[in-house]
């Protein structure tokens, strides 16, 4: 079994760019450090990020090979737009057996696709064939309902 790369990203307000690496909280400050964390205090502000923008790499990529992080917005091949979050989703499947209607409920914990209308489902192969449009930090307007 292959190990998934553990990687985080966060928005650095000072340099107005995404930082990728290890997520560290120290003294109430939130940092993304690209490697071994720098001990030199003068460089700390270069790694300080907005805690509300932290997203973990899911280990998955979209159809074009772009890495998908928590907080990314994807457009599915069917045209649905949603955000990738870590959470729980329940999906129902109704079928008929011996003239009886049966509904199975599947619960998924992990990486979830959540549309603006509240619909959730597990991130599956169909969703991964979609296109990464942006993220909720830079493009929150993409996730709003019409």
């Amino acid at each position: 079994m292959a190990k998934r790369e553990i990687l985080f990203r966060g928005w650095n307000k000072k340099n107005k760019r995404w930082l990728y690496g290890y997520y560290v909280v120290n003294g109430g400050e939130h940092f993304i450090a690209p490697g071994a964390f720098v001990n030199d205090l003068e460089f700390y502000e270069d790694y300080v990020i907005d805690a509300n923008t932290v997203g973990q790499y899911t280990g998955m990529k979209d159809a074009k090979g772009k890495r998908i992080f928590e907080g990314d917005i994807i457009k599915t091949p069917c045209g649905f737009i949603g955000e990738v979050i870590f959470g729980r989703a329940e999906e129902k499947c109704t079928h008929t057996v011996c003239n009886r209607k049966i509904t199975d409920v599947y619960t998924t914990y992990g990486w979830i696709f959540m549309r603006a209308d509240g619909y959730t489902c597990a991130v599956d192969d169909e969703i991964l064939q979609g296109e990464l449009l942006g993220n909720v930090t830079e493009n929150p307007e993409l996730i709003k309902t019409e």
Side-chain angles (χ1 to χ4, degrees):
M1 182 172 167
K3 291 186 178 184
R4 180 174 62 84
E5 179 182 14
I6 304 298
L7 181 67
F8 290 86
R9 78 170 174 205
W11 184 254
N12 178 270
K13 290 180 182 178
K14 177 186 175 196
N15 298 320
K16 296 183 177 30
R17 66 184 179 102
W18 289 103
L19 298 178
Y20 298 85
Y22 299 102
Y23 178 44
V24 179
V25 180
N26 187 5
E29 293 280 5
H30 297 257
F31 303 89
I32 295 287
F37 195 63
V38 179
N39 288 325
D40 190 345
L41 289 174
E42 76 178 74
F43 294 108
Y44 271 17
E45 67 183 37
D46 290 338
Y47 299 104
V48 173
I49 49 102
D50 177 351
N52 295 322
T53 66
V54 174
Q56 186 174 2
Y57 175 46
T58 63
M60 298 177 278
K61 296 179 180 180
D62 75 351
K64 294 182 180 178
K66 293 181 184 175
R67 286 192 240 177
I68 299 172
F69 284 81
E70 183 177 9
D72 278 345
I73 299 170
I74 297 176
K75 182 175 184 180
T76 69
C78 294
F80 295 112
I81 295 175
E83 174 186 358
V84 175
I85 63 168
F86 190 83
R88 175 177 177 245
E90 286 188 357
E91 298 176 65
K92 293 181 181 180
C93 176
T94 302
H95 52 96
T96 304
V97 176
C98 297
N99 295 323
R100 288 182 31 207
K101 192 174 189 178
I102 298 173
T103 300
D104 294 322
V105 178
Y106 301 95
T107 302
T108 302
Y109 297 93
W111 298 112
I112 304 298
F113 178 76
M114 182 175 73
R115 295 189 324 214
D117 64 3
Y119 173 81
T120 58
C121 66
V123 175
D124 60 13
D125 289 341
E126 179 187 351
I127 291 168
L128 295 176
Q129 290 305 309
E131 177 185 0
L132 187 59
L133 298 179
N135 59 69
V136 294
T137 299
E138 294 178 289
N139 318 99
E141 70 282 356
L142 293 176
I143 203 70
K144 294 185 179 166
T145 56
E146 299 176 15

